[in-house]
Amino acid sequence: MTSRYTVAMGAATALTTMLFVGPAMNLLPGEACAAQPTKPHVSFSEDVLPLLKFKCSACHLPGGEGFEKSGFEVTSYETVMRGTKFGAMIIPGDADSSSLMRLLDWRVSEDIRMPHGKKELSICDRDLIRTWIFEGAKND
């Protein structure tokens, strides 16, 4: 015996399949599509710089405590890639070795973890920066 609920759910599944998968896929209702979405590209100007400005600019602009101590500035691609007076912050293609990720992932001494004196950045924020570095830390 088929209930109205079963018929409605079957129709909804078929409609969802048609809308999100498309009729050309020849899938039966309830079957999953094997195609995986493509990984989005992380842009410095659209994704990373706004994050750095929002989360880091209170200290890492000229006159800020972080800038005065380290020389690290988050105003542009050029300043981020220039690094600090102690060296580079970004190693394009190698996020694990990049000083910026070591500081943000708290894989350093507690007194230099970033953001200093605040809670750790979210995994999503850190992964966004990490992905940009893995993709070559391009100026785009």
Side-chain angles (χ1 to χ4, degrees):
M1 181 169 152
T2 304
S3 71
R4 281 186 241 167
Y5 175 78
T6 304
V7 171
M9 288 307 294
T13 301
L15 180 58
T16 302
T17 301
M18 294 293 287
L19 290 174
F20 294 108
V21 176
M25 295 295 292
N26 295 322
L27 293 177
L28 297 174
E31 287 186 323
C33 179
Q36 296 295 317
T38 58
K39 186 171 143 185
H41 167 71
V42 176
S43 163
F44 180 79
S45 62
E46 292 179 17
D47 304 312
V48 176
L49 186 59
L51 174 64
L52 292 176
K53 284 183 174 181
F54 180 69
K55 297 287 188 171
C56 310
S57 66
C59 294
H60 289 282
L61 290 178
E65 183 181 354
F67 177 79
E68 297 303 319
K69 287 183 178 180
S70 69
F72 188 57
E73 183 179 347
V74 294
T75 56
S76 69
Y77 178 80
E78 292 74 23
T79 61
V80 169
M81 295 307 288
R82 185 181 317 135
T84 72
K85 57 186 173 185
F86 306 107
M89 291 293 284
I90 308 293
I91 300 171
D94 189 358
D96 292 333
S97 298
S98 293
S99 295
L100 181 61
M101 290 314 307
R102 293 175 46 79
L103 292 165
L104 294 177
D105 286 338
W106 289 15
R107 293 184 284 137
V108 294
S109 171
E110 186 177 340
D111 58 322
I112 60 171
R113 292 176 179 167
M114 291 295 130
H116 188 65
K118 297 180 181 170
K119 70 178 190 170
E120 187 175 28
L121 292 182
S122 73
I123 291 171
C124 291
D125 288 346
R126 288 181 285 136
D127 281 349
L128 180 84
I129 297 168
R130 185 182 336 279
T131 299
W132 170 70
I133 295 171
F134 275 132
E135 290 179 348
K138 295 180 178 111
N139 184 12
D140 57 356

